[in-house]
Amino acid sequence: MSQTSSSTQVITEELRQWIVEQATSGQPPDAVLQSMLASGWNEDVAIVALEETLRGFLSEHALKNGLPPPVVVPEPMSLDRVPLLDAGDRKVPVLASMLNPRIVVLGQLLSDDECDELIEQARARLHRSETVKLDNGGSEVNEARTSEGMFFERGQTPLCRRIEERIAELVSWPVVNGEGLQVLRYGPGAEYKPHYDYFDPAQPGTPSILKRGGQRVASLVIYLNTPERGGSTVFPDVRFEVAPIKGNAVFFSYDRPHPMTRSLHGGTPVLAGEKWVATKWLREGRFD
Ligand code: PD2
Ligand code: ZN
C-alpha cells in the first residue's frame, strides 16, 4: 500500500480491505494511521478513510451478529497524545487512559473551591438516591445504591454552567446533549454496586426514556472530596480502579448499549469518612 500524490488520493476498495485487515489483526487505529502517513497518504484523507471504513465495518459486524450498531461518542483525547487537554478556561492533565473500555482519568477538572461550592449548593437538597425504574422509566430507591443524591437542572447556577461548558469543551460534545449534574454523597459503608450507565434496550421503560436525548454515550464521575479510605470507582471487566481524589475525574464512553463495551463500573464501599461525587451523563442527542 503506497501513495504519493496527495491531490489525487482516492479511498479505493483495496485500501478499505487493507484497513479492515490491519484492524482485525489487532493493529490500533493510530498505528494504521501512522502506516498510511508513512506511505504518503495525506493526513485528512487518511483519517476520513480510516473512520469511514472502520465505522462501516463495525456496523456490518453488529448487524450480522444481532448487536446494537456503534455510534459516535464524546472523546477527550486527540490523536496527538497531548498530556494537557484544553478545557477552555483551563488545561486538564490526562493521568491515565485506556482504549477498551474507553476510560480517561483526568486531574484537577475542578478546583478545590469549585468542589466545596458544589457540595454546599447540593447539601440541603440531598435525598436517598433513586435509580431509573426499568419497567416504566420512573425512579425508585435501589439497594445497590446506598448514597444520597440530588440533580441540578442543566445551567441551574453559574457554577453549573461553568462546569458544563468546561466538560463540553474537553470532550467536544454539545452542552445541550448533557444531563444536569448529579451530586451524590456516600456515608461510611455506602457503595454503588457495578452497573452500566446506559439504558437497557431490553427493558420496557427504555423507549420512553430515550425520547429525550437518546441513549447515554459517556459518563464523567468527578470527585468532590478525598474520602479517608475506600470509595474508588472500579471497572470489574478489566480490574481497573480509580482513586477518588478531590477535583479529579474519570471519563468513560460506551458506543452502544451493550456489555461488549466493558463499561461495567461501580463505586466501592466507603470504609472511613464520606465521599462526594458529581456525575455528568452525556446523551447522543439534545437533552431538552
Ligand atoms: O461514585 C462513584 O464512584 C460512581 C460509580 C459508578 C458513580 C456512578 N457510577 C454513577 O453516578 O453512575
Ligand atoms: Zn454509574
Side-chain angles (χ1 to χ4, degrees):
M1 198 254 339
S2 80
Q3 188 74 22
T4 45
S5 153
S6 66
S7 59
T8 58
Q9 294 185 334
V10 183
I11 306 170
T12 60
E13 193 45 42
E14 186 196 0
L15 174 65
R16 287 185 203 282
Q17 268 179 20
W18 179 83
I19 291 172
V20 168
E21 274 164 27
Q22 298 299 306
T24 50
S25 71
Q27 289 291 328
D30 198 25
V32 183
L33 177 66
Q34 294 310 323
S35 305
M36 291 177 74
L37 298 184
S39 313
W41 284 89
N42 165 276
E43 187 168 10
D44 292 341
V45 178
I47 289 173
V48 169
L50 255 178
E51 284 184 349
E52 279 183 358
T53 306
L54 293 179
R55 200 170 302 132
F57 173 72
L58 289 172
S59 296
E60 235 175 75
H61 174 272
L63 200 67
K64 274 192 206 143
N65 292 282
L67 295 165
V71 297
V72 176
V73 295
E75 171 56 35
M77 280 247 272
S78 72
L79 284 171
D80 299 338
R81 293 251 161 79
V82 286
L84 290 176
L85 301 176
D86 186 4
D89 62 350
R90 60 169 55 202
K91 299 272 188 212
V92 174
V94 175
L95 303 182
S97 92
M98 193 182 266
L99 273 179
N100 182 9
R102 186 68 178 123
I103 302 173
V104 183
V105 183
L106 301 159
Q108 294 309 292
L109 180 64
L110 263 56
S111 69
D112 280 5
D113 284 352
E114 288 171 331
C115 291
D116 296 343
E117 196 182 331
L118 202 57
I119 289 177
E120 286 325 310
Q121 288 180 5
R123 191 186 290 278
R125 297 175 46 200
L126 293 179
H127 301 283
R128 171 79 195 267
S129 289
E130 298 191 337
T131 40
V132 173
K133 229 170 151 217
L134 299 173
D135 50 355
N136 64 5
S139 63
E140 64 185 350
V141 167
N142 181 337
E143 283 312 315
R145 193 176 188 192
T146 50
S147 55
E148 299 170 284
M150 57 78 66
F151 269 100
F152 287 101
E153 295 284 323
R154 196 178 57 229
Q156 188 170 340
T157 69
L159 177 61
C160 288
R161 278 199 291 281
R162 187 157 84 231
I163 296 171
E164 286 160 7
E165 278 160 23
R166 190 177 298 159
I167 293 171
E169 191 71 32
L170 183 76
V171 301
S172 311
W173 206 250
V175 166
V176 291
N177 290 22
E179 296 182 29
L181 283 164
Q182 183 193 42
V183 174
L184 295 175
R185 175 193 169 273
Y186 302 75
E191 66 181 314
Y192 196 172
K193 296 227 168 85
H195 60 276
Y196 298 99
D197 281 353
Y198 56 73
F199 302 106
D200 182 349
Q203 290 296 328
T206 295
S208 123
I209 298 169
L210 299 188
K211 281 187 198 145
R212 187 177 176 203
Q215 264 294 358
R216 287 179 176 160
V217 287
S219 309
L220 252 166
V221 177
I222 309 168
Y223 305 105
L224 301 180
N225 77 326
T226 306
E228 250 170 77
R229 206 151 65 83
S232 56
T233 303
V234 286
F235 294 82
D237 289 347
V238 283
R239 300 188 184 186
F240 187 67
E241 186 161 355
V242 181
I245 306 289
K246 184 173 183 174
N248 289 6
V250 57
F251 165 93
F252 49 101
S253 62
Y254 23 97
D255 65 359
R256 49 189 122 185
H258 193 278
M260 71 182 289
T261 56
R262 308 207 285 180
S263 61
L264 184 70
H265 64 285
T268 64
V270 174
L271 300 172
E274 58 177 13
K275 172 187 174 190
W276 288 81
V277 298
T279 307
K280 177 79 178 171
W281 286 295
L282 303 174
R283 298 289 190 105
E284 267 178 293
R286 288 181 71 104
F287 185 77
D288 290 321

